[in-house]
Structures are given as C-alpha cells and as structure tokens.
C-alpha cells in the first residue's frame, strides 16, 4: 500500500502487538480456567492499552501457528521435514477451504502473486485471445483486477466492467472509461466471455457476494466457456468458503493466509475440470510445478498446519465449553493460543497426517466465528449510526434481507469489515485521534480500483475511508470503547 499516508503505514512492533492487543480477554480477572490461562502468551511489561481493529489488513496469529513455524525453523530438513510440512499444509488448506481431493491446491508468496501468475498462464497457453471478453468486477481488490486488465491488453481481448454497487453514473470517469460498464452481469456475459474475475467479498464494503448464484449466470450465458476467478481473501477469515460445496461451479479461488490468522502464504485452489484441462496440464502435479516456482515457504507451510490446529481448538472448545450458547466471547478469546502443540522447542519435528484438522472441526469453528461476528458487526454499525454525519458504505446489518444489487438473490451476509466517511471530519483525523488513544484502525482506499473510487465519489479524497475491521476475538467492550473515543472527537455529532 505504497500510496497510503505515511502515518497510515505506522504499525505497532511485534512486542506491542503481543502485549497490547489483549487476545485473551479485556479483564484477566474474569478468567476461570487456569489451564487455559497458561496458554495465553502475552507479556505484561508494557501496560499501555491498545485495541486492534485492522484485521482486514492482516489478522493476529494464534500460538499453535507460531509453535509449528518455530519448530520448523529449529530443525530444517528440506527433503524429509519440508516435504511432510508441505503435504500436510496442502491438505490442511484443502480442508479449510472446502476443496475436494481431486482439486489442485497451489502455494505462492501471496494472493497477488498467484493471480498474476495465473493470468499470465492464460496468455502463455493462448487460452486468452483477441476475440475473447474479460469481465471484471470493479469491487475487486487490485490483485484480481490489474492482472486481468494487463492480460487482456496483451492479447487484444475486450474488457468489460461489472459495477454491482454502482448507485449513479459518476461525473468524472477514469481515463479508461471506454470499457463497457454495467451493473447487470446478465448484460456483460456472452458466449465470447473467457474470464470473469470477482471478489467473494469486498475488503471495503464487507458484503458477501452470492458466488454460487453468480456462477450459474456466468456458466449459462457463456455456454460453459467462461472461467470464473474468485478472490476470497476478504471472506475466508469470517465464513467457511466451501469451494466444493457452496461456491457453485467456479474454477479458481485464491486466499492469503495472513488474513486468516496464519503466515504470509498465498493459496490458489483450482477445480479439476475444464479450466485446468484447457491449460494443457496432464496431471495435477505438473500444474502445481508450473505455478509453484522455486522452493515453497516451508515454515509458512508448517504455520498453515498450526492454523488447522487452532481451528480444531476453537471447535472443541466451543463444543465442550459453551454448548452453543451466545456468551462465548470470553472462552473463544482464551483459546486463541490454540493447543500446546510443541511441548519443548525442537522436540516436535515431523508433521504427520494426524496434525491435519477435520472438515467437521473446520465447519464448527466457522459456525462459532460467524455467530460471534454477527453480534459484533450489528453492534458496531448501530453505534456508528448514532451520528447523523456518518455514512457507512455497503449494505446495512448482518442477516439483512435487503438486496444490494440486481444479482443479489439471497439473504445478505454482512461481514465485520465496516468502512465509513464522516461529513465534516476527515478519515485521517479520525484515524489519528483513535491511534493516539490506543485504537488501531486504518484509513485510505485499500488498493481498490479507480472505478470503485469514482463510483463512490472517492477519486478526489486523498484520505479515503476510515475502516474498522473486526474479527471473532474482538469484543463488545472494545467496540464500546471505540464509541467513547469517537464521541469525544470535536464535531463528531455536529457540536463544538
């Protein structure tokens, strides 16, 4: 995010994160389970308080993930330990993302690199040509926008832009406004469509797209010719993606694990079928080698396995300690450190199939995460709405039945990523005011497309939006403290 204001790039040190974020809970005295309390790896020498509301930029990491990565670094044996770590990580990612055994799971540096490699693969294999059409959602992060624009320009393909949340035609369109634009996906998809690139959720609006429904439209109107590429980075920290169950007939799904409480590692899932076969790949292994250039980050792979252990910890703790009750925020925050998976450094070196989390545990963990986050999201949006000068982007509350655009056919799922503008106070001012009082949020445009910025009137707003992005380890008490800080900003409610 090189274009962000320099203050926006100031992040707390690792020690500050560990000491301040208060993963365990807001008041340590409320802990009752001593065994669980011992798992909380928080140092107490820094007493300054901080609250972390920038999870969309990168979530915090549970102790189980750290333990597995540390063990991998303490005993490096690439041909044995490295191979086993990579295999277990691939299987763990497959389970967490809900992919089938026959689907390809590819590792890369991050989602941006994987998407760029995939787009170039289409060019190199001549699967994208001048007679083709590329349809791209303007709600995409640039990572799923720029590579497809570049690929289309390389071969002379036609670019069409889907503007699902376009409320009115902007007066000042970007310089490349000669692209066909429509809020109706039906109008854009034809038998010449080769690529459709959409987000599972916007990292600004926080609205989950009905991907299964959209994939049906795309496959039908393109007569099965279009390949669907979905960016799941903003969605997977909050909902079970269910690549093989819930996303219809999409072809590619990409995530960055550092947004999903894990290490910096990208994962691309490819469906075994038309898209993969047309990339002239005979076997899944050769397809992997074509995109996984060089040595995969082995300690990152170990961290992915540790992330699976954390999901298992959440599932088991939810099942045994809460019995489905709503008052689980205290318990789940104590379990953020996962299990004591490495008893002594260096003693646990080999990762086995027994370390891989089960699909049932993943689904149960996600069920708990969603249950907690619905309450947090609604509380946040309702509180922000107390100021008549605040304009929240995106659809309203979680579980709303209001359609956000023409293709919305199901109940809206609102994720806990909330971006807003204040009529009289700049986003940078709000950010700095919060930062000075120990609340970490963020302002800017978050690598959105220029078309998205124009659609929402942000193209001439250097401060961008103020984004508050929650995760399941945040609490109502922390959000209440945010409200107290915002209420104290001069002019927040229009009063001096």
């Amino acid at each position: 995010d090189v274009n962000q204001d320099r203050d926006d790039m100031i992040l707390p040190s690792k020690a500050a994160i560990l000491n301040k974020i208060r993963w365990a809970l807001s008041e340590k005295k409320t802990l009752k389970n001593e065994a669980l309390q011992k798992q909380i790896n928080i140092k107490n020498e820094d007493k300054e308080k901080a609250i972390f509301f920038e999870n969309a930029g990168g979530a915090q990491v549970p102790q189980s993930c750290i333990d597995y990565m540390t063990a991998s670094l303490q005993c490096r044996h690439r041909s044995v330990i490295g191979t086993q770590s990579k295999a277990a990580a691939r299987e763990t990612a497959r389970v967490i993302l809900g992919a089938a055994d026959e689907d390809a799971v590819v590792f890369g540096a991050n989602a941006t690199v994987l998407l760029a490699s995939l787009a170039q693969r289409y060019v190199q294999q001549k699967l994208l040509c001048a007679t083709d059409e590329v349809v791209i959602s303007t709600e995409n992060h640039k990572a799923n926008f720029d590579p497809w624009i570049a690929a289309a320009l390389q071969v002379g393909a036609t670019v069409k832009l889907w503007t699902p949340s376009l409320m009115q035609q902007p007066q000042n369109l970007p310089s490349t406004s000669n692209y066909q634009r429509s809020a109706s996906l039906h109008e854009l998809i034809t038998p010449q469509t080769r690529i459709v690139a959409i987000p599972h959720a916007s990292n600004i609006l926080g609205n989950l797209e009905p991907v299964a429904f959209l994939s049906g439209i795309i496959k039908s109107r393109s007569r099965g010719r279009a390949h669907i590429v979905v960016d799941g980075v903003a969605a997977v920290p909050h909902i079970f993606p269910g690549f093989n169950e819930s996303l219809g007939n999409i072809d590619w799904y990409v995530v960055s694990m550092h947004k999903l409480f894990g290490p910096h590692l990208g994962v691309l899932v490819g469906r075994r079928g038309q898209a993969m076969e047309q990339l002239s790949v005979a076997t899944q292994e050769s397809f992997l080698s074509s995109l996984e250039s060089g040595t995969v980050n082995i300690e990152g792979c170990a961290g992915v396995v540790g992330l699976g252990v954390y999901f298992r910890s959440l599932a088991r703790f939810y099942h045994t300690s809460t019995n489905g009750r709503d008052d689980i925020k205290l318990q789940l925050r104590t379990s953020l450190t996962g299990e004591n998976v490495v008893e002594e450094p260096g003693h646990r070196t080999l990762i086995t199939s027994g370390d891989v989390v089960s699909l049932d545990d993943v689904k149960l963990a996600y069920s708990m995460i969603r249950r907690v986050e619905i309450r947090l999201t609604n509380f946040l949006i309702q509180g922000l709405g107390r100021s008549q000068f605040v304009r929240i982007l995106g659809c309203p509350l979680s579980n709303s039945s209001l359609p956000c655009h023409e293709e919305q056919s199901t109940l809206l799922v609102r994720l806990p990523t909330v971006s807003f503008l204040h009529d009289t106070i700049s986003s940078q001012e709000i950010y700095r005011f919060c930062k000075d009082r120990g609340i970490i949020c963020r302002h800017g445009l978050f690598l959105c497309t220029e078309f998205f910025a124009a659609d929402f009137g942000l193209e001439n707003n250097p401060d961008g939006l103020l984004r508050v992005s929650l995760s399941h380890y945040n609490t109502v008490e922390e959000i209440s403290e945010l409200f107290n800080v915002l209420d104290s900003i001069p002019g927040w409610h229009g009063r001096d």
Side-chain angles (χ1 to χ4, degrees):
D1 298 349
V2 295
N3 294 324
Q4 296 289 340
D5 183 272
R6 289 185 61 85
D7 284 339
D8 193 39
M9 298 297 293
I10 298 175
L11 296 176
S13 66
K14 181 179 179 181
I17 290 287
L18 291 174
N19 297 336
K20 297 176 183 177
I21 303 308
R22 298 185 304 159
W23 274 69
L25 45 95
S26 56
E27 293 186 13
K28 193 172 181 179
K29 65 181 181 180
T30 60
L31 273 174
K32 303 298 182 183
N33 190 322
E34 293 182 3
L36 211 51
Q37 185 174 346
K38 290 179 182 178
Q39 297 177 25
I40 301 171
N41 186 21
I42 298 179
K43 300 177 182 179
N44 297 314
E45 60 267 20
D46 188 348
K47 301 296 184 181
E48 184 182 353
K49 174 183 172 183
I51 296 173
F52 193 75
F53 287 150
E54 220 313 82
N55 295 284
Q60 299 304 302
V61 181
Q63 190 62 43
S64 58
C65 181
I66 297 170
D67 286 343
Y68 269 79
M69 293 182 71
T70 300
S72 174
L73 289 167
Q74 287 174 330
C75 186
R76 176 170 284 164
H77 188 179
R78 176 179 170 184
S79 63
V80 178
I81 299 174
T83 299
Q84 292 186 350
S85 295
K86 187 164 62 173
R90 212 181 297 280
E91 185 60 25
T92 299
R94 185 190 310 281
V95 174
I96 290 177
L97 299 178
D101 291 341
E102 63 269 19
D103 296 328
V105 177
V106 183
F107 291 134
N110 49 51
T112 301
V113 169
L114 286 169
L115 286 167
S117 298
L118 182 64
Q120 284 306 302
R121 183 80 175 169
Y122 272 84
V123 174
Q124 294 162 3
Q125 297 296 108
K126 302 188 186 310
L127 267 182
L128 189 64
C129 61
T131 58
D132 289 330
E133 298 173 351
V134 177
V135 178
I136 316 174
S137 170
T138 56
E139 290 185 4
N140 273 309
H141 185 283
K142 282 190 173 184
N144 201 30
F145 188 89
D146 290 350
W148 300 111
I149 292 288
L153 291 175
Q154 281 181 263
V155 302
T158 299
V159 174
K160 297 180 178 181
L161 301 181
W162 180 40
T163 57
S165 56
L166 183 60
M167 294 176 289
Q168 58 183 7
Q169 188 72 8
Q171 294 180 352
N172 300 314
L173 293 176
S175 58
T176 50
S177 58
N178 56 311
Y179 296 149
Q180 180 182 344
R181 295 156 56 92
S182 176
S184 172
L185 193 60
H186 289 81
E187 294 180 3
L188 299 174
I189 306 297
T190 73
Q192 283 69 53
T193 303
R194 168 55 81 190
I195 296 292
V196 179
I198 60 176
H200 196 176
S202 164
N203 69 329
I204 293 178
L205 301 178
N207 299 330
L208 199 72
E209 291 288 357
V211 172
F213 175 73
L214 297 177
S215 73
I217 295 174
I218 295 165
K219 293 293 184 179
S220 174
R221 294 188 66 81
S222 70
R223 298 175 186 171
R225 188 172 186 273
H227 296 174
I228 305 171
V229 185
V230 180
D231 179 354
V233 172
V236 293
H238 312 290
I239 56 99
F240 173 60
F243 180 80
N244 204 44
E245 300 177 15
S246 309
L247 297 182
N249 194 21
I250 69 169
D251 298 282
W252 308 103
Y253 192 82
V254 67
V255 302
S256 284
M257 300 304 287
H258 73 280
K259 306 293 180 74
L260 183 57
F261 328 115
H264 279 272
L265 191 70
V267 181
L268 173 69
V269 178
R271 188 180 306 282
R272 172 71 71 177
Q274 181 195 63
M276 207 176 298
E277 291 171 1
Q278 290 184 347
L279 282 174
S280 302
V281 177
T283 65
Q284 181 172 326
E285 288 70 29
S286 61
F287 174 73
L288 294 179
S289 63
S290 70
L291 288 180
E292 286 185 357
S293 58
T295 303
V296 172
N297 184 338
I298 299 302
E299 53 269 25
C301 287
V304 171
V305 181
L307 175 62
V309 172
Y310 172 57
F311 270 77
R312 185 165 64 222
S313 174
L314 284 181
R316 291 179 178 176
F317 200 82
Y318 180 47
H319 180 72
T320 60
S321 301
T322 68
N323 294 318
R325 295 177 300 170
D326 290 328
D327 56 339
I328 61 175
K329 64 178 182 180
L330 172 63
Q331 292 92 332
L332 72 90
R333 294 195 68 184
T334 63
S335 65
L336 280 165
T337 51
E339 300 171 302
N340 187 19
V341 295
V342 183
E343 291 79 7
E344 295 182 34
H347 283 198
R348 177 68 177 276
T349 56
L350 294 179
I351 292 177
T352 68
S353 59
D355 294 289
V356 177
V357 65
S358 72
L359 182 59
D360 287 343
D361 281 345
V362 166
K363 289 182 176 180
L364 184 57
Y366 266 120
S367 176
M368 182 193 70
I369 287 171
R370 183 64 192 145
R371 189 169 185 171
V372 172
E373 290 183 346
I374 287 175
R375 181 190 182 201
L376 296 177
T377 307
N378 288 343
F379 185 67
L380 173 62
I381 293 176
Q382 289 168 351
L384 291 173
R386 295 201 303 255
S387 172
Q388 62 179 324
F389 298 95
V390 170
R391 176 167 69 93
I392 298 174
L393 274 68
C395 293
L397 304 182
S398 291
N399 290 355
S400 168
S401 60
L402 296 176
C404 288
H405 54 72
E406 180 179 338
E407 273 73 29
Q408 182 74 56
S409 66
T410 59
L411 291 182
L412 167 71
V413 175
R414 183 54 149 106
L415 303 181
T417 299
V418 179
S419 303
F420 64 89
L421 290 165
H422 193 280
D423 288 344
T424 62
I425 308 171
S426 73
S427 297
Q428 186 181 73
E429 289 180 83
I430 300 171
Y431 160 78
R432 287 178 172 171
F433 198 90
C434 291
K435 179 175 176 290
D436 290 343
R437 288 152 184 82
I439 296 179
I440 302 171
C441 49
R442 193 172 175 187
H443 79 94
L445 294 178
F446 312 108
L447 292 178
C448 73
T449 68
E450 58 182 330
F451 301 94
F452 179 92
D455 291 347
F456 284 90
L458 301 171
E459 68 273 33
N460 296 317
N461 185 344
D463 292 339
L465 302 154
L466 196 290
R467 184 176 72 184
V468 177
S469 51
L470 311 176
S471 191
H472 60 285
Y473 43 73
N474 291 122
T475 66
V476 167
E477 289 77 14
E478 290 177 332
I479 300 172
S480 295
E481 189 155 350
L482 170 66
F483 294 156
N484 291 335
V485 170
L486 295 177
D487 286 341
S488 67
I489 300 176
W492 180 256
H493 292 286
R495 301 184 297 268
D496 293 334

